[in-house]
Each structure stands twice: as structure tokens, then as C-alpha cells.
Amino acid sequence: MAPHGARGDRAGPRLGLATWPPRLPDQPIFYPVLNEDYATRIAREWNVKASGVGYVTRFHVRTAFLDRYDVQQVGGETILEYWIPAEDLEEMNDNIVGLIEEVARFD
């Protein structure tokens, strides 16, 4: 899952494809989260305020790639995410299985 807002053409995933665009200069880390409730909270409460719209997307990444990163608990028990450095995003894209799908949109 990955919540995101609107920040131009490079803001979010290429829906219907299996890649995320390169991070913007002020985005050194990509933070995919591990559950839809947390993604929804970020999209609705943070992304809408910051950019006027928030999205929740779903995608699957090969375990062999994700095993290189620790799951970060950044709040309560269900507030879990990976911290993927921007320089590893292209390799993560190569390890996405299937397509990136939009689950929800908030205005």
C-alpha cells in the first residue's frame, strides 16, 4: 500500500503499470505501508491537506527484495512501513508483481 497526494506527473504511480516514478529531490525515501487502514489515514488526513487530493494504492513486491529492509514501526502496533531509499526505487519497481492499482481517492 502506498498513500500519496498530487505533486505533478511524478506524484504517484503509473496506474495500470508496475512502476513508481523517480522520487522528487525532497523525497529521499519511499514509504510503502503495510496495511490499508494506515494508508487511508495518511491519504485522507495528510495528503488531502498538503495537495488537495489523496490516493491509496495497492501493489505487491517480491519478498526477496523486501527482506533487505526492516519493517519500521512508527506509531502503534499497526503503523508499519518500509523505508526504501530513493536510489533503490528502480530496483523495487523491477520487483513489483502485477500492477499498481488505485484503491481509494480522497478530495
Side-chain angles (χ1 to χ4, degrees), residues 2-3 9 11 13 16 28-29 33 36 43-44 52 70 89-90:
D9 291 338
I29 305 289
V33 304
E36 190 171 334
R44 186 176 23 211
D70 293 327
L89 188 59
E90 185 174 337

Side-chain angles (χ1 to χ4, degrees), residues 52-103:
V53 66
Y55 299 91
V56 176
T57 56
R58 179 182 298 127
F59 59 101
H60 303 278
V61 179
R62 289 184 182 92
T63 302
F65 175 81
L66 291 175
D67 282 347
R68 298 176 10 202
Y69 305 92
D70 293 327
V71 173
Q72 305 294 321
Q73 184 175 351
V74 296
E77 289 182 18
T78 63
I79 310 299
L80 305 172
E81 59 192 27
Y82 285 102
W83 296 353
I84 310 293
E87 59 267 17
D88 294 350
L89 188 59
E90 185 174 337
E91 186 178 0
M92 188 195 82
N93 281 335
D94 291 341
N95 282 280
I96 291 177
V97 178
L99 303 177
I100 300 169
E101 55 186 307
E102 184 180 304
V103 176

